[in-house]
Each structure stands twice: as structure tokens, then as C-alpha cells.
Amino acid sequence: VSVCGGGDMVLEVEPCEFLDVFSLPRTAGSAHVALHDEPCGQLCRSALDERETTKSSPPTVALLPGVFMLDLYADSVSSDIWKDGKMCRCWVPRSVIGWEFFSLLWPGPEGLNTLQISADIKLLCGRPPAGTVCPSLLFAFLPEGYLHFTCGSDSPGPSTDPLLKAESAFARKPRPKVTPIGPNVRDPLERERHSGNLDAQFRTVSARLVVLSPSVLYSDRTELPGRSNWGLFIGPRSRSLVLLNRRCGRVDLHLATLLALDAAFWLFDGLIAALARAFAPFGSQEQVHQFFGRKLDPLQVHSGLTNAIVADNIYPMLDGREDYQRYLGVRLPFFFISNASNNLRFLTPPESQQLRQAESASKPARPKLGGPLPTMVQWTVSGRPRTPDMLVLEEYRKNGTFLTLQQGCGRGGINSMPWFSALLLACTEVARGCENIGYDPAPADVGGIPSSPSHPSQLPPDHFGGFSAPRLPAATRIGGAFG
């Protein structure tokens, strides 16, 4: 019998079984995991974690509270990267030289915004030169003049993210409890100083592209950052990558990645198709496409549209750590669902519910992954690319960098002069004619940073594959409760 609600009514209930959590053994987990303090922590363990928790994690650097990045400082060089339709110079790991990078997007009431984990740091996804798949690697771009939070400051700075603007008004002075830092976690200020990328004010001299390390399993709300930044976590049950903040809630990275890729390569054809299927019961599915027009601006897609559909992983057992192993040679400790481009899709709510019911009824077979990405980009946050922009991208894909004149073309080099870049790329030979005008064409290094990128010949011969530039054409709903 059982007394319900504290009243006098006594109801007979069927015998039921309870989990004896008091008998679960306590385990010493990784330094990045706080679940070892909880008896129920083993319930959140995945069979795919195998024995990785007993091995030493790869060396990481504490970028922000709750955010870690791989320590690739020793393997980084100063080079040009193609980011959001433009060329920029930064420190970049050798393993991803020549890659194409796209800012992650997040919907708001007025449209899409680039996703930032702090006031200055943007999140990016990237693919190899003209690659058919955008892997599950998560990048962050630290701008020039960035001040690391460990440099005599309790805060990374005032946030410009609308989701974090109200947080500073209620911020508390004591630091929030964050995930314990293990022996393999290093200080970013020390690493920047060792690479010669700090000025007298302890700010970075040059921008830097870093690879984030999803190695923290969410366990307790007290671990969430309380200051103006998001923390990167792995859902303990769903094993999806999420950004969490104590006051601002949650951001699903599979939705942010899918929005960025669908906008860049298909101008939201996938999103519009899912919205059209939602109107199929009303017989107006064929009329949805014309509502968006032929000149859709992806930045105008707002949260009202994304809340009507579901961003979903095609195969929830696809291990995102395999991309880190394949491209960087590191093995992360805990399994998380891959956010690669061929493992993401848009669904309607009924479609998502039917899939979940089918998966719970029987063990599902591995589904067919998504198709390849197009070679050419149709849109970036800088706008739709023009012919000179495509010529720059083709040259970048061939060489892993782009020829930049240091003098005579302004601070932006030929990248700031589209007409000149198109003319220069048509030349078969280029010679610099500045030896006799009274200055050295090679500028001196500043702060220990090389003035020119490493020559592509220093990389392995097969680094860029056998890519041949194509010819130019003529002309969640966010899921339910966090888990």
C-alpha cells in the first residue's frame, strides 16, 4: 500500500522495482569529468566510451571557463585561411591549412546571428579543400588583440551576444564552480607567450584558429559558467554537443552546424523542404517554396521558422571522435554524436516522433548517411560570392594559401582589390618589381611571428589531395528536455 499526496487516501499499487543506487560503486573518472562524485554517474556512461576514461586525455588548454581547446600551439604556423568568404591571416594548425571555414549560425526573433561563446570568440566549422564532407571538428577564432580570461581579469569581457547581454547585470563576484582542471590542461597565457604572440599589454599580436576539445560530460548545474560566456559540454544521455550557460540556457550545436551548412551550400533548400512537408496534411506543400522567393537572404530566417522543424542526427551512433582521430591524430575520452555534414538533416515533428518510436521498438540498422557537399559555395555571412571571390577561393584551394602583396595595395593586400586579384590570377608568372625603390620587400617579423606563411612544399605531398579546381559557372525546433 502507499499513501499518496500526504493525505488520508490509501491506494493499493502493483509491486514495482527500484534501482539500488546506493550499491553502485564509485569510480575515479577522468580529470575532466565530475560524474565520479555521483552514485548515478555510471548510468550516463556509454558503451562506446570503452576504456578511454582510464587513458590520459590529450593535452588541452583552458580557453574559457567550461571550454577547452587542443594544445596545438607547437604545430601551428602563421598562414592565410579562407573564412566566411574572405582571406585573413592567423595562426592555424598545420593539419587544417587550406581548409574552408564557416561561422556557425543561431536563430533569433529577428533573424540569424553568428554563434559566439564570448564577446570576441566565434565558433566555426570547416572542411578540407573542396571536401565532400564537413567533419565534426569544432573550431574557434580568436581575433587579434584578444585578452585571455586568465590575464588578471575575472571576465572575458562584456558580451555582445543577445543571449548573454542580460547575464552581466546579475553576475556574482565569486567565480562559478567549473569542471576540475587536470594535469593535462595548460594555461593559454603561457602558451601564447611561448609562441611569441603576446604584446606588452598581454594581448595577442595575431589572430589564432583553435580546435575545441569536447571532453566534458555535463553533470551538475553548478559547473556551468556564470559569467558572460558559454561552456561546451556533452549531454550525459543524448551525447550531443551543447553550449550551456547558467542563466541563458542551452544551444544545440547540431542545429547551429546544420543551419550554417544548409545556408552556405544550398541556400536553405533543406530547411524549406522540411517546412513544406509540414504543410503536406493541408495540401499546400507545393506552395511553400514560392513564399521565400528566389533571392532569399539566409540571415532573415528567424527562430519562428526553426522552431517549427527539428534538427536531427541521421545515425546517433556515429562517433564524432573519429574525425579528431582522422584529421588531428588525437583520441578524445568520451563518445559524442558526430555533427558531420552527412549526419545532419531537418525533419518535421511527426517524422522525428515516428523515427524515435521505430528505434525504441527494435534495434535500428545503420541508415544511409547524407550526400556530399557541393564544390562551390553559394553564400557566406559576407554575402553571395562574386566571380573574383571564387577565383580567390580556387587559388587558395590549390596552394593552401593566397599570394598577398605586402606593400602598395593597402593593409588588406590584393584581397581588398577584387579587380586586381582577378587580373593577377590570370597571369602565368608573377615577379615583384620593388627591389630598386629603396625598401626591403620582406617586412620584419613582429613579436616573433613569421611575416609569411610556411611554403606549401613543407607539407606532405598528398596534403591537398588531387583536387583540381572546377570551372566557374557562366553567370529544433530544439529537442525536448536536455539529456
Side-chain angles (χ1 to χ4, degrees), residues 167-205:
E167 191 274 337
S168 58
F170 303 95
R172 300 178 180 177
K173 292 184 179 180
R175 285 192 174 188
K177 177 184 176 182
V178 295
T179 306
I181 297 180
N184 286 337
V185 180
R186 303 168 182 177
D187 180 61
L189 193 64
E190 177 185 353
R191 301 301 292 157
E192 292 286 3
R193 181 186 294 110
H194 185 268
S195 62
N197 194 34
L198 282 181
D199 59 14
Q201 286 73 36
F202 299 99
R203 294 184 179 271
T204 57
V205 178

Side-chain angles (χ1 to χ4, degrees), residues 105 107 112 255-275 289 292 296-302 305-306 309 346 378-379:
L105 302 176
L112 292 177
L255 173 59
T257 304
L258 183 53
L259 289 174
L261 297 177
D262 195 23
F265 293 100
W266 292 287
L267 290 175
F268 278 140
D269 283 348
L271 182 143
I272 296 175
L275 289 173
H289 290 81
F292 292 89
L296 171 67
D297 181 6
L299 292 179
Q300 295 179 352
V301 174
H302 50 77
L305 298 175
T306 58
I309 56 177
F346 283 117
Q378 297 192 46
W379 179 87

Side-chain angles (χ1 to χ4, degrees), residues 238-479:
S238 67
R239 291 304 178 105
S240 59
L241 293 183
V242 291
L243 299 180
L244 299 176
N245 182 273
R246 189 182 302 179
R247 296 179 177 88
C248 300
R250 160 186 173 181
V251 169
D252 291 316
L253 288 181
H254 63 281
L255 173 59
T257 304
L258 183 53
L259 289 174
L261 297 177
D262 195 23
F265 293 100
W266 292 287
L267 290 175
F268 278 140
D269 283 348
L271 182 143
I272 296 175
L275 289 173
R277 294 197 303 272
F279 284 87
F282 307 99
S284 56
Q285 178 176 358
E286 301 299 331
Q287 303 176 14
V288 174
H289 290 81
Q290 64 184 4
F291 295 154
F292 292 89
R294 296 183 178 180
K295 296 183 179 180
L296 171 67
D297 181 6
L299 292 179
Q300 295 179 352
V301 174
H302 50 77
S303 56
L305 298 175
T306 58
N307 286 338
I309 56 177
V310 178
D312 186 60
N313 294 104
I314 298 177
Y315 185 47
M317 302 301 291
L318 189 62
D319 197 342
R321 299 176 299 173
E322 295 180 357
D323 290 333
Y324 281 80
Q325 180 75 36
R326 181 181 303 110
Y327 294 102
L328 302 176
V330 298
R331 183 70 173 178
L332 299 180
F334 297 103
F335 166 81
F336 63 90
I337 302 177
S338 173
N339 285 338
S341 58
N342 59 353
N343 196 40
L344 297 172
R345 61 183 171 184
F346 283 117
L347 297 175
T348 64
E351 292 172 347
S352 178
Q353 183 178 7
Q354 292 174 4
L355 286 175
R356 297 295 176 265
Q357 292 176 351
E359 291 174 357
S360 60
S362 60
K363 184 177 180 180
R366 175 164 180 163
K368 182 180 179 181
L369 298 179
L373 294 175
T375 301
M376 304 309 295
V377 179
Q378 297 192 46
W379 179 87
T380 67
V381 294
S382 302
R384 297 201 181 190
R386 300 172 298 172
T387 300
D389 301 326
M390 291 293 96
L391 292 174
V392 171
L393 178 57
E394 287 185 10
E395 182 67 16
Y396 172 74
R397 287 172 173 175
K398 292 178 182 178
N399 300 326
T401 184
F402 188 68
L403 179 62
T404 304
L405 300 183
Q406 302 292 344
Q407 288 90 9
C409 294
R411 186 174 183 180
I414 60 175
N415 301 334
S416 62
M417 307 174 66
W419 63 269
F420 186 72
S421 62
L423 178 63
L424 183 64
L425 291 176
C427 301
T428 57
E429 295 182 2
V430 178
R432 182 178 293 176
C434 56
E435 285 80 2
N436 299 324
I437 59 178
Y439 63 85
D440 185 3
D445 294 351
V446 179
I449 301 178
S451 59
S452 61
S454 298
H455 195 276
S457 61
Q458 297 178 2
L459 300 173
D462 58 347
H463 180 81
F464 298 102
F467 166 70
S468 138
R471 294 183 178 181
L472 289 175
T476 225
R477 175 178 184 175
I478 304 178

Side-chain angles (χ1 to χ4, degrees), residues 5-27:
D8 299 331
M9 183 180 296
V10 178
L11 300 178
E12 295 185 1
V13 297
E14 296 292 335
C16 58
E17 297 180 356
F18 296 90
L19 175 64
D20 183 11
V21 298
F22 301 98
S23 302
L24 289 178
R26 295 179 178 267
T27 59

